Amino acid sequence: MSDHAIPPIAGYEAEILALVQQAGPVALPQTNLNLEQIRSGFACALHMHQPTIPAGANGELISHLQYMLEHPGEGDNHNAEPFAHCYKRLADIIPQLIQEGCNPRIMLDYSGNLLWGVEQMGRHDILEALKKLACDPTLQPHVEWLGTFWSHAVAPSTPIPDLKLQILAWQHQFAALFGHEALQRVKGFSPPEMHLPNHPDTLYELVKALRECGYRWLLVQEHSVENPDGSGLRHEQKYIPNQLVARNSSGEEVSITALIKTQGSDTKLVGQMQPCYEAMGLGRQVLGATTVPSLVSQIADGENGGVMMNEFPPAFIQAHRTIAAQGDDPGTVAINGTEYLQLLGAAGVGCGDFPPIQAVHQRKLWQQLSGPPSPATTEAAIARLQASDPSFSMAGASWTNNLSWVEGYANVLEPLARLSADFHRLFDEQVAQDPSFTKGGPYQQALLHLLLLETSCFRYWGQGTWTDYASEIHRRGVAAISNAQLSGAFNLRSAKTRTNPA
């Protein structure tokens, strides 16, 4: 196994922020789609993730995929190698379709945990496939990578100061693997579990961090948002871009474009390429001063379950062959998110033309305030609504309302909040005084354990092994912070640094 004791998650924040803010057309120089000829489109994304767990031979941090491979007799661990194949198979499928004369598209969302784990395991077959998908110029018009949180944290229950750390850590990891040019092309963001915060301050800080980190749009679940009047999205509104407006408890606003993921979490939607066939029944819509193609946006786990492991590849291939059979002027096309938005922009349609939306329950909240909002009046309004309205929640919304990443997990969330507070109390002033402090090994050790503790998997499978993993990561995180205090970590000359991720 390769020596990857600390993944590339920090150290070059200023360089990365400058890089991703550089304006560039990304898709327009390479796209072979003509917006005027398109009646409708579909944008499919595949989400890939394996958590990091303290379960190596001597308690080392390893990928859950590695654990599955080493313990094939437990549960469904026999699927480990099929999962590994799913992580790399698009590098074969996309070129095959191009060679056949098809015009495929796919968006890819890989967690930082998974990318690091593949490195740890020395799976060069997977790494080479991913590098092809990220860097091969012939594939760039067809493959779009989406950013995400490094450790698959769910935003509503992640401490606000850590949202940007998660975003930047993923960008560090991606740049280290695939280079700066590949990172510059990443303009869309995929929130883990499609979990969108609806607390005004959390949502505001998330959108602000996304914009500061160079993102121009994000994917949101249809029932996690509402119109300004509190109504659900109109049917046709789900198939055009919307503008997500985040207003915090002090009245400040920031916004970002949102593409709407329709329907629920059923992987059959993507596994059987339902978005393609739904798009074939849709037409153009009026937007701004023109008409634009309707867009069906969907995301599913890329490896999880029999449908995605077995049915997706032939269904994906057949859908693109069906479109290719329509000839040179297909009414329905596969199209990626940034490509779609930049084509709209070139046609004179921009974010000012997109319907404004907000996170669910915002209307109820703002109606409770009689004057300008403040943190105190906002929290008081939230408390009144929670006491009087059983349907009101500030826990956010995700791909399903049947699971909570908060209820019943105080034994994970309370230590997490303390570790986050201790981390920022110890390091924030040092980083503010000298940004290169993030290159230090003690800082990165503490950051790694903080990010890992925020992994959603530790609050998905119920109490037991997974919450035990969280307790052990928390213990190591506390130790990392203590060691940083005791070891002279605040003398940068004695801190171990890592090389540039590019």
Side-chain angles (χ1 to χ4, degrees), residues 375-390:
T377 58
T378 301
E379 288 304 319
I382 291 172
R384 288 195 301 272
L385 283 165
Q386 288 175 332
S388 63
D389 184 350

Side-chain angles (χ1 to χ4, degrees), residues 90 92-105 142 313-322 324:
L90 268 298
D92 295 322
I93 294 173
I94 297 294
Q96 172 193 332
L97 286 168
I98 295 171
Q99 189 174 12
E100 291 181 10
C102 299
N103 197 17
R105 296 291 190 276
H142 305 276
F316 184 80
I317 291 168
Q318 183 57 47
H320 285 91
R321 286 173 175 168
T322 299

Side-chain angles (χ1 to χ4, degrees), residues 184-195:
Q184 278 187 301
R185 293 191 290 272
V186 181
K187 296 301 179 187
F189 189 83
S190 176
E193 308 292 356
M194 285 289 101
H195 212 339

Side-chain angles (χ1 to χ4, degrees), residues 227-308:
N227 287 309
D229 63 2
S231 62
L233 304 191
R234 303 179 306 278
H235 177 74
E236 64 275 9
Q237 189 180 353
K238 300 171 187 177
Y239 302 105
I240 56 173
N242 289 258
Q243 194 71 6
L244 177 65
V245 180
R247 179 190 187 197
N248 70 9
S249 61
S250 297
E252 300 170 296
E253 289 189 358
V254 65
S255 67
I256 190 170
T257 298
L259 296 181
I260 308 300
K261 175 195 177 300
T262 57
Q263 304 181 57
S265 64
D266 190 349
T267 53
K268 289 183 180 179
L269 293 172
V270 173
Q272 298 176 350
M273 291 304 292
Q274 181 273 345
C276 170
Y277 304 107
E278 180 181 1
M280 288 180 176
L282 300 177
R284 294 177 71 92
Q285 295 191 46
V286 175
L287 190 59
T290 186
T291 64
V292 303
S294 296
L295 180 71
V296 181
S297 303
Q298 266 301 341
I299 185 170
D301 287 351
E303 83 284 52
N304 200 4
V307 172
M308 292 310 299

Side-chain angles (χ1 to χ4, degrees), residues 200 361-369 378 381-382 385 392:
H361 293 168
Q362 298 284 289
R363 174 68 172 176
K364 286 183 178 180
L365 174 59
W366 300 127
Q367 280 185 315
Q368 284 283 316
L369 300 179
T378 301
I382 291 172
L385 283 165
F392 181 82

